[in-house]
Amino acid sequence: MQQIRSCFLLILFALFTAQAQQPKKLNSSEIYEAIQKLNVLGSVLYVAAHPDDENTRLISYMANEKKARTAYLSLTRGDGGQNLIGPEIRELLGIIRTQELLAARRIDGGEQRFTRANDFGYSKHPDETLEIWNKDKVLADVVWAIRTFKPDVIINRFDHRTSGRTHGHHTSSAMLSMEAFELANDASKYNEQLNYTSTWQPKRLFFNTSWWFYGSQENFEKADKSNMINFDVGVYYPMKGLSNNEVASLASSQHLCQGFGRLSQRGSQDEYVEFLKGDPLDGNNDIFAGIDTSWNRVEGGKAISDILLPIEQNFDFKDPSSHLPQLLRAYKMLQNIKNEHWKTIKSQEIKDIIQACAGLYLEASANSSSATPGSEIDLRLEVLNRSSATILLDAYTLTGLNNPVSKNISLESNTRFNFEEALTIPEDTEYTSPYWLKEKGTLGTYKVPDQELIGLPETPRALFAEFNLTINNIPIAFKKPIVYRYSEPDKGELYRPFEIVPPVTSSIKDKVFIFENDQQKDIEVTVRAGKDNVDGYVQMAYPDNWSVYPKQQKVSIANKGDIQTLVFTVIPPKNQSEGYISPMVVLDDGIYTDELIEIDYNHIPFQTVLLPSESKVVRLNISKRGNNIGYIEGAGDVVPESLRQIGYNVTMLQPEQITPENLKQFDAIVTGIRAYNVVDELKFKQKYLLGFVEQGGNLIVQYNTSRGLVTDDYAPYTLKLSRDRVTDETAEITILEPEHPLLNFPNTITQSDFKGWVQERGLYFPDEWSEEYTPLLSSNDKGESSKKGSLVVAKYGKGNYIYTGLSFFREFPAGVSGAYRLFTNLLSAGKENINTDQKITD
Ligand SMILES: [Zn+2]
């Protein structure tokens, strides 16, 4: 039984995601394709590390040409990437990238799985990756994916033999897949999983190689291919009016937050897979060679296929409903087979086909997009048969109702039935939020206590309507998640998932407040009602030696969805200190401390996330000289806002504003991350920037990538960028020049300033420079030589040219005080003689 529930959950996912925006309504070609797929019992699991690693050409080919059940196992959700389409980073970015994978799978026909592994950022070596991930946990999850999905064939995106030569997450994904191949079939390993599923031995394991792994097309042509098979993935699908590579391009273009929107491709294209282990291919050019992928592989399957194969052969595109009697017979026989795995999968497939053939419209829509546990909502159910088949609506059941609502209605063709129901949401219904974020995990893995949730792309929906029908005297039930269907005059009909929310949530807009002195700051707390008539009060939790007043404020909101804003005053302590402030909303029935975050983009379904409502507060012990900063934006960072928080006057400089005259007003100019990669005009403006330094200004250049620079003259003297990086954010820092003014004025930088850094120390450090430069710091990842290019400075004329690969752009938004103190020194360089001492600490 537990196994059945597990499979059931997995299938619900495929179903729900298709319905999150708009329920999929199959046309005749799509029904035919679904019937072709119904007759194939083969499966492929594709394994890699991140959203966007997957080769959608191969996934689409397996799903649409081979008609195999195909899944992509992405070990992580991609939290560590950057976001090109909005402000979400880290776990919120992971939610967007999860949804982008699901959007890609809706196009290429695959399914989606994950593990608990967290994308903690770039990793140089699988040893490091597996240590941070906790190898045993992630290996267990790969075994779990294999045991539950039961693939015939596994295909790795990456080569398990490339330790240290590429991203550690990539190599690790292949290494774990290699190891799990046998472990999945060993009942003595991870045997607690066997309470929910059974062991499984995949037949073969491949590596999806290409010329890219050989360095060049030429090398690949010369390579020994005796262990490889290849096939043309450029096939054309007349049913879709698209070729496989066009489908694949559309799918991978869903990875918009990573900038993957791209042109589609057509035409013949070879794909290569290298055999790694399992049953030998014996010269066959088919990954499924010798594997029975027909109904014959299950006991009792032959009789079912005798009914289903003729439907495929003689499919009636004009009237698919003519196949209903046979489909229902096959469905009934399927209920008697012993193989629970295929019974669950194929029952759902055949039910979807039956629904489509009968033109059955089944929907339960709420009158609002959200509700709180215990509240009552109005539901509108719609039931409609658009075929000549004899269909009875016996009853329907709603989550939370103890008894089915009996109907006994004959559904005459094209006669619509609507029913209104008032539903009380059960008190114990969980709030809608990603299951993997409900408890705090580690740097390397999410915490998921419920084994059956592990690997699912989303949290299962909480509320359903089940329609109990009898078609041709065969009882059959269709379960649909409750949705919210509405319209907007300028958009038309829209769907949203129906969500369960707390009665009240609160938020503070800024996630970090920097106090550069002991002045108090007013902060706004927004309280939002999840139901009508919210009455209570708000108080703040805050660190010792800080204070917040007033102690509490009344909140009273009449209507669900409305907000009330309260202002609290935060008073920092006299000395350096940091901690968190968090609003607590006290109502009669409890204390609510969560923030409701909404993620709304066109290419993915609307998402709501509940996270603890909190902001970091940092009292800095900081002095600074100079006040006017010019900022040249690069690829995008929040450094200007962070500098404003500590009292600088920051002016954003457009390329055309970089003129000798205009630069005179500034004490320092800072270039944003990768400015010399993305701002083409800098090749003409660099002479003015250097002129500004010559006259006594400070130019601070943040990291650029060594490849794709708009000019080679980004520095006054020879300075060569490399790919040197220090990814361990706790890596020890050696101060090379303890007496150097940049490390002493106006703030004395010590080891404590390098504590609490996040994600990494820095990246793309220079590795060669002329004698004019002084390197100030040295650091390295475990097992590597020391890297001295993270912060170098050279005198040029009367001013200073400073190049830094240190990740200030990551540390500032995390409120890392040492990063602020060090950066302030860079801005203050050479300004010892400024009289207006702006030292503001005690
Ligand atoms: Zn990747």
Side-chain angles (χ1 to χ4, degrees):
M1 185 59 209
Q2 275 170 320
Q3 184 188 347
I4 298 172
R5 192 188 145 209
S6 172
C7 292
F8 170 70
L9 281 178
L10 297 181
I11 280 170
L12 272 182
F13 268 107
L15 210 106
F16 159 66
T17 50
Q19 292 191 335
Q21 289 171 112
Q22 191 124 37
K24 185 128 175 87
K25 295 159 191 151
L26 305 184
N27 61 34
S28 276
S29 317
E30 289 164 336
I31 295 173
Y32 177 68
E33 288 177 314
I35 289 170
Q36 289 181 305
K37 207 161 175 117
L38 183 61
N39 283 326
V40 176
L41 283 75
S43 53
V44 180
L45 183 67
Y46 195 84
V47 181
H50 307 117
D52 78 20
D53 283 346
E54 82 276 24
N55 177 353
T56 51
R57 289 185 308 273
L58 188 51
I59 290 174
S60 175
Y61 180 83
M62 290 302 157
N64 295 300
E65 175 67 13
K66 292 290 194 179
K67 309 288 179 196
R69 201 171 160 244
T70 308
Y72 171 38
L73 172 63
S74 175
L75 298 197
T76 76
R77 294 173 189 266
D79 305 35
Q82 294 187 7
N83 185 356
L84 289 184
I85 59 172
E88 296 85 1
I89 54 167
R90 300 203 172 210
E91 66 267 54
L92 297 180
L93 180 61
I95 292 167
I96 293 176
R97 298 188 73 184
T98 296
Q99 290 299 326
E100 290 186 339
L101 279 175
L102 290 169
R105 298 296 83 79
R106 282 195 283 276
I107 292 168
D108 63 30
E111 298 175 33
Q112 189 58 49
R113 296 285 186 280
F114 293 93
T115 72
R116 284 170 292 177
N118 195 339
D119 176 6
F120 57 83
Y122 190 80
S123 176
K124 289 174 181 167
H125 200 280
D127 288 351
E128 181 207 43
T129 301
L130 294 171
E131 192 186 318
I132 294 176
W133 274 353
N134 184 331
K135 183 190 168 188
D136 195 55
K137 271 191 204 164
V138 182
L139 180 58
D141 291 0
V142 178
V143 168
W144 170 250
I146 295 171
R147 285 173 174 173
T148 50
F149 188 78
K150 304 197 186 302
D152 295 314
V153 170
I154 296 176
I155 302 176
N156 292 346
R157 164 77 283 189
F158 297 106
D159 192 337
H160 62 287
R161 300 155 293 200
T162 52
S163 284
R165 278 184 276 147
T166 174
H167 197 327
H169 297 181
H170 291 166
T171 313
S172 297
S173 72
M175 291 164 66
L176 292 175
S177 167
M178 282 292 279
E179 212 171 326
F181 185 80
E182 285 89 16
L183 291 179
N185 201 34
D186 183 344
S188 70
K189 298 286 160 38
Y190 305 113
N191 58 359
E192 67 287 354
Q193 294 178 1
L194 301 176
N195 293 323
Y196 309 96
T197 187
S198 54
T199 57
W200 181 252
Q201 181 56 62
K203 286 288 189 300
R204 290 190 186 100
L205 178 62
F206 295 93
F207 159 46
N208 181 198
T209 190
S210 78
W211 68 264
W212 190 84
F213 293 93
Y214 288 76
S216 70
Q217 301 262 20
E218 208 182 2
N219 287 352
F220 187 57
E221 267 162 40
K222 283 184 273 178
D224 172 18
K225 298 196 187 60
S226 56
N227 239 352
M228 293 182 198
I229 55 176
N230 67 310
F231 34 87
D232 182 2
V233 293
V235 288
Y236 179 64
Y237 305 128
M239 291 276 166
K240 296 181 192 296
L242 292 169
S243 54
N244 185 67
N245 29 23
E246 285 176 295
V247 174
S249 305
L250 290 171
S252 66
S253 284
Q254 299 304 305
H255 295 298
L256 294 180
C257 72
Q258 303 306 301
F260 266 53
R262 58 173 186 169
L263 285 172
S264 60
Q265 295 178 340
R266 283 152 293 278
S268 187
Q269 193 170 7
D270 261 346
E271 194 69 56
Y272 286 83
V273 292
E274 178 188 343
F275 174 79
L276 294 179
K277 60 180 167 180
D279 293 1
L281 284 161
D282 294 331
N284 276 298
N285 201 47
D286 178 4
I287 62 165
F288 289 109
I291 301 170
D292 190 351
T293 59
S294 76
W295 277 99
N296 294 333
R297 77 186 291 166
V298 297
E299 199 187 322
K302 169 83 172 58
I304 296 170
S305 116
D306 285 345
I307 299 170
L308 293 179
L309 278 178
I311 300 178
E312 183 179 335
Q313 281 148 9
N314 308 306
F315 186 68
D316 185 344
F317 284 86
K318 284 187 184 156
D319 182 15
S321 73
S322 66
H323 301 296
L324 280 170
Q326 282 77 24
L327 287 167
L328 283 150
R329 263 183 63 213
Y331 171 76
K332 196 176 170 190
M333 290 166 79
L334 184 55
Q335 302 321 298
N336 296 322
I337 69 164
K338 289 198 199 80
N339 186 316
E340 292 294 341
H341 178 69
W342 284 113
K343 189 206 284 190
T344 313
I345 293 162
K346 292 298 172 185
S347 290
Q348 189 59 50
E349 285 184 16
I350 204 167
K351 281 207 296 194
D352 289 345
I353 292 168
I354 288 168
Q355 186 186 346
C357 285
L360 258 175
Y361 191 92
L362 303 167
E363 183 178 271
S365 176
N367 63 340
S368 142
S369 65
S370 68
T372 56
S375 66
E376 193 180 271
I377 53 162
D378 290 325
L379 277 186
R380 185 182 166 87
L381 291 86
E382 183 168 336
V383 182
L384 175 60
N385 164 26
R386 288 172 286 189
S387 73
S388 55
T390 308
I391 304 182
L392 299 174
L393 172 64
D394 301 321
Y396 54 77
T397 313
L398 302 172
T399 311
L401 288 190
N402 292 327
N403 298 310
V405 180
S406 182
K407 287 292 168 193
N408 293 316
I409 294 170
S410 174
L411 300 176
E412 302 303 330
S413 179
N414 220 15
T415 305
R416 194 182 72 218
F417 290 90
N418 286 115
F419 310 100
E420 311 282 337
E421 288 287 343
L423 175 70
T424 303
I425 315 272
E427 285 285 359
D428 61 354
T429 310
E430 280 201 46
Y431 301 136
T432 312
S433 195
Y435 69 86
W436 62 96
L437 300 178
K438 285 195 173 171
E439 292 188 42
K440 201 164 173 59
T442 63
L443 174 65
T445 43
Y446 301 116
K447 190 171 175 197
V448 183
D450 182 350
Q451 176 68 43
E452 289 185 282
L453 288 176
I454 291 174
L456 296 183
E458 301 180 288
T459 313
R461 306 310 296 185
L463 299 177
F464 291 89
E466 187 175 74
F467 299 90
N468 302 107
L469 306 181
T470 301
I471 310 180
N472 286 10
N473 294 319
I474 295 173
I476 183 165
F478 295 89
K479 196 167 182 173
K480 305 288 173 189
I482 291 174
V483 294
Y484 174 52
R485 182 167 67 103
Y486 63 111
S487 69
E488 284 182 8
D490 56 342
K491 295 201 178 76
E493 185 176 74
L494 297 167
Y495 280 82
R496 258 207 208 181
F498 177 72
E499 324 252 44
I500 307 301
V501 298
V504 68
T505 52
S506 63
S507 66
I508 304 171
K509 191 165 155 266
D510 290 317
K511 294 302 162 207
V512 176
F513 290 92
I514 306 289
F515 294 75
E516 101 240 42
N517 53 34
D518 57 8
Q519 294 286 300
Q520 62 190 39
K521 284 189 184 187
D522 284 347
I523 60 138
E524 286 187 352
V525 175
T526 303
V527 182
R528 178 169 159 166
K531 62 172 190 179
D532 291 344
N533 302 319
V534 166
D535 282 295
Y537 59 92
V538 181
Q539 59 188 49
M540 301 289 283
Y542 51 88
D544 289 348
N545 69 26
W546 289 67
S547 47
V548 175
Y549 71 86
K551 288 296 162 210
Q552 51 178 247
Q553 297 192 56
K554 235 184 98 46
V555 64
S556 181
I557 306 174
N559 297 313
K560 169 177 166 179
D562 282 357
I563 59 167
Q564 186 177 341
T565 301
L566 306 169
V567 177
F568 285 87
T569 301
V570 178
I571 305 165
K574 295 279 177 206
N575 296 310
Q576 188 147 323
S577 165
E578 61 179 60
Y580 290 87
I581 51 169
S582 36
M584 301 184 295
V585 189
V586 184
L587 303 185
D588 284 344
D589 63 347
I591 299 173
Y592 297 89
T593 55
D594 278 343
E595 173 178 9
L596 179 72
I597 298 154
E598 297 181 333
I599 301 176
D600 192 8
Y601 292 101
N602 284 337
H603 65 307
I604 57 174
F606 188 87
Q607 300 291 307
T608 59
V609 190
L610 288 172
L611 291 175
S613 180
E614 62 182 20
S615 292
K616 190 173 181 185
V617 286
V618 181
R619 164 69 164 104
L620 283 178
N621 190 357
I622 196 168
S623 306
K624 55 189 174 44
R625 293 293 196 287
N627 188 39
N628 292 325
I629 311 295
Y631 202 88
I632 301 166
E633 194 172 23
D637 54 65
V638 295
V639 172
E641 289 87 325
S642 303
L643 296 179
R644 285 184 190 119
Q645 279 231 27
I646 54 169
Y648 280 107
N649 178 22
V650 183
T651 306
M652 300 305 286
L653 280 177
Q654 297 306 315
E656 64 272 17
Q657 295 169 315
I658 305 173
T659 62
E661 195 51 38
N662 196 27
L663 294 179
K664 278 183 188 162
Q665 59 178 304
F666 298 112
D667 298 304
I669 302 291
V670 181
T671 63
I673 58 167
R674 301 204 301 281
Y676 289 91
N677 296 119
V678 299
V679 185
D680 223 26
E681 294 92 328
L682 280 180
K683 64 182 162 212
F684 309 115
K685 299 293 185 177
Q686 181 66 4
K687 58 175 183 271
Y688 301 137
L689 293 173
L690 291 180
F692 163 77
V693 178
E694 218 172 353
Q695 296 303 312
N698 292 325
L699 175 61
I700 296 144
V701 178
Q702 297 182 81
Y703 98 90
N704 294 278
T705 61
S706 45
R707 244 183 272 171
L709 289 158
V710 299
T711 172
D712 290 332
D713 299 324
Y714 48 86
Y717 317 108
T718 306
L719 183 72
K720 224 184 105 206
L721 301 186
S722 75
R723 296 172 66 84
D724 284 355
R725 62 202 293 171
V726 177
T727 58
D728 180 357
E729 70 274 22
T730 65
E732 199 189 326
I733 300 270
T734 305
I735 297 178
L736 299 172
E737 300 283 340
E739 304 303 321
H740 197 279
L742 240 56
L743 298 174
N744 289 283
F745 177 80
N747 304 294
T748 305
I749 301 301
T750 65
Q751 284 301 334
S752 69
D753 290 302
F754 296 103
K755 294 216 169 88
W757 284 48
V758 298
Q759 190 144 348
E760 64 193 352
R761 287 295 189 194
L763 63 175
Y764 291 98
F765 300 159
D767 65 346
E768 264 182 65
W769 46 82
S770 57
E771 59 184 22
E772 288 87 352
Y773 293 94
T774 307
L776 300 178
L777 306 171
S778 167
S779 179
N780 55 271
D781 279 323
K782 220 192 270 176
E784 294 192 350
S785 62
S786 57
K787 310 280 183 272
K788 295 183 179 166
S790 66
L791 176 60
V792 298
V793 56
K795 209 70 199 153
Y796 182 69
K798 291 185 238 162
N800 295 282
Y801 175 90
I802 300 166
Y803 191 97
T804 182
L806 292 171
S807 295
F808 291 103
F809 70 105
R810 293 198 197 281
E811 311 312 317
F812 287 165
V816 176
S817 52
Y820 281 95
R821 285 162 47 84
L822 178 56
F823 204 84
T824 299
N825 281 12
L826 310 186
L827 296 170
S828 310
K831 306 212 179 290
E832 289 87 344
N833 53 358
I834 290 186
N835 287 331
T836 48
D837 190 337
Q838 293 177 31
K839 186 167 166 61
I840 36 225
T841 47
D842 295 289

